[in-house]
Amino acid sequence: MRISKKPVSFCLSLFSPTVSSRIPHHSGTRGAVRAAGASQLQASHPMDKSHRTFVGEKSQNVLHMASSDGGHKPFIWSSSEGGHNIDIGKHIFCNRPLNMKNIVSVGFDMDYTLAQYKPETFESLAYEGTIKNLVYNLGYPRELLDWSFDWTYMVRGLVLDKRRGNILKMDRHKYVKVAYHGFRELSKDEKVGTYGNTLLRDSFDEPGYALIDTLFSLAEAYLFAQLVDFRDRNPGKVSERVDYAHMYKDVRAAVDLCHRDGTLKQTVAKDPGQYINKDTSIVPMLKMLRDSGRSTFLVTNSLWDYTNIVMNFLCESCTMKSSNRMNFDWLQYFDVVITGSSKPGFFHEDNLANLFEVEPESGMLLNTDNGSPMPQVGSASPRLSLKGLNKMCRVFQGGSVGHLHKLLSIESSSQVLYVGDHIYGDILHSKKVLGWRTMLVVPELEREIELLWKLRDIRKELRLLQNQRDFIEDKIHLVKWSLKFEDVDVDEKHKMSTALDELESQREQVRSAHQQAQRECHQKFHKVWGQLMKTGYQNSRFAHQVERFACLYTSQVSNLSLYSPHKYYRPSEDFMPHEFDIIPI
């Protein structure tokens, strides 16, 4: 049997109940399951067949991206070492066909896209700053200053229920599968009673809920859980007027203050290497894209001063510690840089925000006529130029996507590929509003794929247990139907009743074993939340968003350097459920 699946699911949906229920039950079930599992491993990734290297293969030809300290020589597709098999953790996965020959401009976000922050240092820094703002500016108890941050606890894709103080993980259909009140897990009855017994489906959207769709939000989600626990266990220490929703509002205000007062970015600027991973493949990737004839641009919400520091660190061999002076050499890798963009509002063409040109050396903002240079008061020159650059890169602040299209001479929005890390801020609006082609960076993906390979035997056993449950339940239904509707004698009815008791006992044993094995498997990925892209056998809400809005997705932005800049990305074959059973052998 030939097996296929939804693109975003890659290996994560190998043993879904929809697949197992379609495998006929017979004496060779175990063998059929194992054969199907092996077949599906080789068809599970939406990569074209020329890149079928899987985790666990130790081929000397596999390309590994440079280490965070820059110790490895970066390999790119166009180099003499390039063009070999690519480790699956570096694959670019495809949800919708994308021919790079049709792309004339490639754009990037900076924070958590080009610049991958170290959560153990950067998120801890943000957490500490937020705590101080809560205590010193918003009047929270000083005990909070003794709290610590577990940067491994929260994951992306969670939803915060502001009113109830709950943290939820949902599947693609918005059914709550995992729920915690603070750090206390809710029972099945509590979950169903709160989120499953309503006549109208909850949308789980703002303003009642907060979506944790970016790595920047992990610290605030963890702090919210701590505050919920603190309020429940210490009545009177937090005013009764301050409910869970009010606490979340205060957390958000404290986080925003950390970013507005500049302390967070000033600390990072003093020693970028402590907070940002060094990726030596970024510059070769940008060079290859530009050599292929494409324009490149950067659109970030960070302002110019911080952007220049971060991009200097990423694109230069020296760090702030070894260089006393920032330069602007990194601008040669871009045609346009837009800072202070205020995404996602930037992506709306009716956005009337003014576009200012930035004079890089002084940081001074210059008036423009929708991007066209304007003579400034007291100066006859229409614009200031950078010394030493062969090709001028223009730097701006503010504006809208309409300005960007004009600056880059974009004729069709489908000619743009934008790479970002934030579903809502980067991918959803650029895809849904503009029709840009999109690529989502999911750093967590690489580890998940490695674990999927290591746990492949366990997941095959899970599939077998699921098949056994289905087989036994079908028999139970048949026996019950016969007892209710068929005319059988007393002895036969007694035999059927005895068989029914045995079947129900078997079902309970298999059900218990299956649930325990499934729980243990998920805890290998994360002890609390399980797999990022799955919840139970369903795609998670996060995976559903990736499938809907990301044309491509990958673990690192520089994985682009491992592929031809003219590559045609194609998803794997996709079948609807009614087509599955008639796939030709």
Side-chain angles (χ1 to χ4, degrees), residues 299-524:
V299 176
T300 174
N301 285 352
S302 294
L303 296 178
W304 166 249
D305 54 350
Y306 184 73
T307 300
N308 187 42
I309 290 171
V310 172
M311 294 306 298
N312 258 284
F313 171 75
L314 293 174
C315 296
E316 298 295 332
S317 58
C318 61
T319 65
M320 286 289 291
K321 285 185 175 180
S322 60
S323 175
N324 295 323
R325 183 177 180 275
M326 289 287 94
N327 59 60
F328 311 106
D329 290 347
W330 65 272
L331 290 174
Q332 66 187 292
Y333 307 122
F334 297 94
D335 293 272
V336 173
V337 171
I338 296 183
T339 63
S341 61
S342 298
K343 294 178 296 182
F346 177 85
F347 295 121
H348 292 274
E349 289 198 293
D350 57 356
N351 181 357
L352 301 178
N354 292 324
L355 183 69
F356 299 96
E357 188 155 7
V358 178
E359 202 290 303
E361 292 187 357
S362 66
M364 182 172 63
L365 299 184
L366 310 176
N367 290 319
T368 71
D369 181 11
N370 291 326
S372 298
M374 289 179 62
Q376 306 299 307
V377 175
S379 173
S381 173
R383 64 178 295 187
L384 300 177
S385 62
L386 288 177
K387 301 174 181 178
L389 289 183
N390 295 326
K391 180 174 174 56
M392 179 63 63
C393 169
R394 300 183 67 188
V395 182
F396 298 91
Q397 178 173 309
S400 70
V401 69
H403 297 128
L404 180 64
H405 285 168
K406 180 180 177 182
L407 290 165
L408 294 172
S409 300
I410 300 296
E411 297 178 355
S412 170
S413 59
S414 63
Q415 296 176 322
V416 179
L417 172 65
Y418 187 65
V419 187
D421 71 289
H422 191 186
I423 284 282
Y424 182 75
D426 292 323
I427 303 301
L428 186 152
H429 282 78
S430 60
K431 179 66 179 176
K432 193 172 182 179
V433 176
L434 299 175
W436 278 5
R437 309 312 302 272
T438 55
M439 176 171 152
L440 182 71
V441 175
V442 187
E444 309 97 310
L445 190 61
E446 189 167 353
R447 176 180 175 273
E448 287 233 343
I449 293 176
E450 291 173 355
L451 282 171
L452 283 166
W453 178 260
K454 291 178 182 178
L455 299 173
R456 61 194 182 278
D457 292 334
I458 295 175
R459 293 184 294 111
K460 288 179 183 179
E461 294 301 323
L462 279 171
R463 173 72 172 278
L464 179 61
L465 287 169
Q466 179 66 46
N467 287 342
Q468 290 175 344
R469 286 183 67 178
D470 291 342
F471 181 61
I472 293 171
E473 286 174 356
D474 286 345
K475 280 192 171 183
I476 290 173
H477 297 154
L478 182 60
V479 172
K480 285 184 175 180
W481 186 272
S482 298
L483 284 170
K484 186 174 182 179
F485 294 106
E486 293 184 8
D487 186 15
V488 295
D489 58 37
V490 175
D491 289 342
E492 184 67 21
K493 183 174 292 188
H494 178 71
K495 291 179 182 179
M496 292 172 67
S497 297
T498 302
L500 180 61
D501 291 340
E502 292 177 357
L503 285 170
E504 289 180 336
S505 176
Q506 291 175 18
R507 178 179 63 178
E508 180 58 29
Q509 292 175 11
V510 174
R511 184 195 67 81
S512 178
H514 179 251
Q515 289 184 346
Q516 179 63 26
Q518 185 182 41
R519 186 178 302 110
E520 291 176 358
C521 183
H522 277 264
Q523 288 177 343
K524 298 287 186 181

Side-chain angles (χ1 to χ4, degrees), residues 155 173 222 226 373 427:
V155 298
H173 305 294
Y222 187 80
Q226 286 181 302
I427 303 301

Side-chain angles (χ1 to χ4, degrees), residues 155-159 167-171 174-180 191 448 522 526 528-536 538-542:
V155 298
R156 276 200 287 184
L158 303 179
V159 176
I167 305 171
L168 317 173
K169 184 181 181 186
M170 294 180 289
D171 67 16
K174 296 187 177 180
Y175 289 107
V176 176
K177 296 297 186 179
V178 184
Y180 279 77
K191 284 187 295 185
E448 287 233 343
H522 277 264
H526 194 283
V528 178
W529 306 109
Q531 290 179 243
L532 177 70
M533 296 284 191
K534 304 292 289 185
T535 176
Q538 289 287 331
N539 279 357
S540 66
R541 172 186 168 276
F542 181 75

Side-chain angles (χ1 to χ4, degrees), residues 92-93 98 105-117 156 213-216 285 289 297-301 334 341 343 347 416-431 436-445 533 542 545-546 549-560:
I92 294 175
F93 301 102
L98 193 157
S105 188
V106 182
F108 301 90
D109 178 38
M110 184 179 75
D111 298 312
Y112 273 117
T113 300
L114 289 173
Q116 281 298 326
Y117 291 92
R156 276 200 287 184
D213 287 335
T214 172
L215 295 173
F216 275 122
M285 174 194 70
L289 287 173
F297 64 91
L298 177 68
V299 176
T300 174
N301 285 352
F334 297 94
S341 61
K343 294 178 296 182
F347 295 121
V416 179
L417 172 65
Y418 187 65
V419 187
D421 71 289
H422 191 186
I423 284 282
Y424 182 75
D426 292 323
I427 303 301
L428 186 152
H429 282 78
S430 60
K431 179 66 179 176
W436 278 5
R437 309 312 302 272
T438 55
M439 176 171 152
L440 182 71
V441 175
V442 187
E444 309 97 310
L445 190 61
M533 296 284 191
F542 181 75
Q545 290 178 319
V546 173
F549 301 116
C551 301
L552 308 174
Y553 60 102
T554 191
S555 61
Q556 299 282 347
V557 66
S558 54
N559 292 346
L560 272 172

